[in-house]
Amino acid sequence: CTSEDHGGGVRSVRSRLENVEVRECFSSNDGGGISSSTSYIADCDMYRCAVRSTEKRYGGGINSSADSIIRCRIYDDSSNYAGAIYSDNSYIENCLFWRNTSDTIPVLCANSKLVHCDIVGNRNTGSVKGCAVNGTNARLYGCVVWGNKDHNGEPLPIGARVNSVTFSAVEGGYE
């Protein structure tokens, strides 16, 4: 599936998405797999979705605002900015972000809370030093952030804008 607008696979506003598989979808705007706002997303897989644009576009797998994202697997997705997910004011629980690529930050979650999520094996392919997860006032609780690499194979740190990291395993630690 391909879209010139938001959401290559699904565009959702005030909806409930459950048990959805979104594969190999592309968007030239935000949200290669799903673009949503004020929705509940649960038990979904986003696989090999991408935002293909020369402009700064967000969320290869998911671009979300004010969503609850529960038990989702977001993997092998790409975007030039926030390869796995871009979220703002979302609650994200028990999700896997794995093998996503971005020129900058694989997981960008502003004003969002991530609980019991695994952010593993993601890659920054750009020449600018990025980070594994970032976002103004982002909070991580009980998360694993491990095996994320930059274009030189060096570990990606937690971004400076992350507000708190509690009971989490972070490769290289967190200050």
Side-chain angles (χ1 to χ4, degrees):
C1 45
T2 302
S3 171
E4 304 257 335
D5 199 6
H6 299 277
V10 177
R11 171 74 170 129
S12 164
V13 178
R14 287 184 225 119
S15 303
R16 186 176 186 96
L17 300 173
E18 293 186 79
N19 300 310
V20 174
E21 183 175 291
V22 181
R23 288 180 170 248
E24 299 179 358
C25 292
F26 307 97
S27 173
S28 57
N29 212 319
D30 299 331
I34 294 176
S35 181
S36 69
S37 62
T38 60
S39 296
Y40 175 83
I41 303 169
D43 302 306
C44 296
D45 285 346
M46 267 58 67
Y47 172 70
R48 291 182 57 186
C49 296
V51 173
R52 293 184 174 161
S53 175
T54 56
E55 299 176 28
K56 185 174 172 181
R57 297 294 180 203
Y58 298 92
I62 298 177
N63 177 33
S64 75
S65 175
D67 291 326
S68 292
I69 302 169
I70 313 293
R71 295 180 308 277
C72 293
R73 296 184 309 170
I74 298 96
Y75 58 103
D76 291 336
D77 299 311
S78 64
S79 178
N80 59 1
Y81 200 73
I85 185 171
Y86 170 78
S87 72
D88 186 15
N89 199 30
S90 296
Y91 177 80
I92 304 165
E93 182 180 340
N94 291 325
C95 290
L96 170 66
F97 302 97
W98 176 51
R99 290 192 328 217
N100 300 287
T101 58
S102 174
D103 290 346
T104 54
I105 303 165
V107 176
L108 182 58
C109 299
N111 303 304
S112 297
K113 184 173 184 178
L114 287 85
V115 178
H116 303 296
C117 292
D118 293 338
I119 302 166
V120 296
N122 298 292
R123 191 162 181 88
N124 170 346
T125 56
S127 59
V128 176
K129 181 69 173 173
C131 52
V133 58
N134 205 5
T136 305
N137 296 320
R139 297 164 321 278
L140 278 66
Y141 181 89
C143 295
V144 175
V145 182
W146 213 271
N148 303 290
K149 306 291 182 192
D150 69 11
H151 66 284
N152 291 321
E154 297 295 318
L156 289 172
I158 294 282
R161 293 184 176 171
V162 173
N163 195 30
S164 69
V165 178
T166 309
F167 300 116
S168 297
V170 177
E171 182 176 25
Y174 176 76
E175 295 179 25

